[in-house]
Amino acid sequence: MRALVFTGPGVVEIREVAEPEVGDGEVLVHVVTSGICGSELHGVRTPGFRVPPLVMGHEFAGRTDDGTQVIVNPILSCGACDVCVIGLRNVCRKRQIVGVHRPGGFAERVAVPRAAITAPPVELDWTAAGIVEPAANAVHAWSLAGAPAGARVGVIGAGAIGLACLQVALSGGAAGIEVADHAESRRAIARGLGADAAVAQLTGEYDVIFDAVGAAVTRERSLALLRPGGVAVWLGLADAVAGFDAAGLVRGEKRVLGSFAYTDADFATAAELVGGWDLGWVATFPLIEGADVFTTLMNGHSVPVKALLTP
């Protein structure tokens, strides 16, 4: 079968690979749509825990042999440790991720544990199905923030996660949502989705700020612009460092929350929400064009905001 394979630093290629072996407790998924994540672009550009050769792809949906539409939750946890038993298997110390630690959805077919698949409450169109996983990240961040209806919200970064945060905040009753991004094309999309303002840089004061970039400068800004007692939720992973004003955090009694992935409940909520979203910022490409699309995005192109690959 054909697959998009990470073969070395900065390189992905379409290759013929062996059919997946379906083990005990696993199911074969015939992939219909698989999203390219910013973490994968970064991981190929500067390899770390993704080790080539690897078929990546952790945001995907498809059909089982009997034709059932399924969405794959790529987080594989032990299910028995102290954090798993309280419902936080997304931060299980032994977690693995489909498309990172084992072959993922950038292929025609993939074997995944049966426990990782879920059928949406109603069948989704394939664009929406391919967006459930990133949408679940935004649902989780919103839940962590505990933002009340009418909250003033800032979003830093209008990539897929930032736009998902915007749409979740809208559905959650936020008021006065502002989105910041350097690209005017992305700011225009944010306005079209319902942002009250889309600017190159946030300048107001906010109850909640979602940092979907994760650079030191955006983390610093997410705290500086919070009202006293406000909450910054960090989703982005661009940098490992954060040069923020710790004294200001203390004196303003501000909070910083890390947000990684999602719980099973967040994933289910995302599957319910995305069917009603405007997904005009998502574009679909044939898998055979995957290397060119991936490389273009990796080299800094901001359009499309989100690319889905389909066999």
Side-chain angles (χ1 to χ4, degrees):
M1 68 173 183
R2 288 182 299 188
L4 179 64
V5 185
F6 168 32
T7 56
V11 181
V12 290
E13 305 173 63
I14 295 293
R15 287 190 170 184
E16 289 289 328
V17 301
E19 289 282 347
E21 295 183 7
V22 183
D24 291 341
E26 295 185 338
V27 63
L28 185 69
V29 175
H30 300 263
V31 179
V32 176
T33 185
S34 186
I36 297 175
C37 178
S39 67
E40 291 165 332
L41 303 175
H42 178 75
V44 169
R45 201 166 42 232
T46 55
F49 53 84
R50 290 177 174 86
V51 180
L54 174 67
V55 178
M56 298 186 299
H58 60 270
E59 307 174 356
F60 64 102
R63 294 196 185 277
T64 54
D65 284 338
D66 65 2
T68 301
Q69 183 186 55
V70 293
I71 305 160
V72 177
N73 182 333
I75 299 173
L76 311 178
S77 59
C78 75
C81 68
D82 55 339
V83 293
C84 282
V85 297
I86 60 172
L88 299 178
R89 67 182 198 86
N90 55 308
V91 289
C92 173
R93 299 174 187 85
K94 298 178 181 179
R95 69 178 180 267
Q96 293 194 332
I97 300 174
V98 177
V100 177
H101 302 98
R102 56 184 287 163
F106 291 162
E108 294 179 297
R109 289 169 289 282
V110 58
V112 298
R114 187 175 299 278
I117 65 170
T118 181
V122 295
E123 184 155 312
L124 298 169
D125 71 69
W126 289 107
T127 299
I131 294 299
V132 169
E133 198 278 345
N137 284 268
V139 171
H140 186 61
W142 180 255
S143 176
L144 287 176
R152 297 165 298 172
V153 173
V155 178
I156 302 176
I161 297 296
L163 294 178
C165 284
L166 164 62
Q167 291 180 279
V168 171
L170 286 167
S171 66
I177 307 172
E178 297 185 10
V179 178
D181 197 281
H182 291 310
E184 170 54 29
S185 59
R186 294 191 173 194
R187 296 198 297 268
I189 292 169
R191 292 186 201 103
L193 292 176
D196 294 280
V199 295
Q201 185 167 274
L202 296 180
T203 57
E205 184 178 73
Y206 308 89
D207 301 304
V208 179
I209 296 181
F210 297 99
D211 178 8
V213 176
V217 65
T218 59
R219 288 172 177 154
E220 186 279 331
R221 195 146 193 84
S222 73
L223 278 169
L225 298 178
L226 283 178
R227 65 158 171 82
V231 181
V233 184
W234 292 354
L235 299 90
L237 290 167
D239 291 339
V241 297
F244 61 88
D245 178 2
L249 180 146
V250 173
R251 293 190 179 101
E253 203 170 86
K254 301 175 181 180
R255 289 186 292 149
V256 177
L257 299 173
S259 181
F260 180 78
Y262 35 77
T263 65
D264 292 340
D266 298 323
F267 197 85
T269 298
E272 295 174 357
L273 288 176
V274 292
W277 283 7
D278 176 351
L279 296 175
W281 46 276
V282 183
T284 299
F285 302 88
L287 177 64
I288 195 68
E289 297 176 14
D292 290 339
V293 173
F294 192 102
T295 303
T296 297
L297 292 171
M298 184 174 62
N299 289 335
H301 287 256
S302 60
V303 177
V305 174
K306 187 67 177 182
L308 304 180
L309 302 179
T310 177

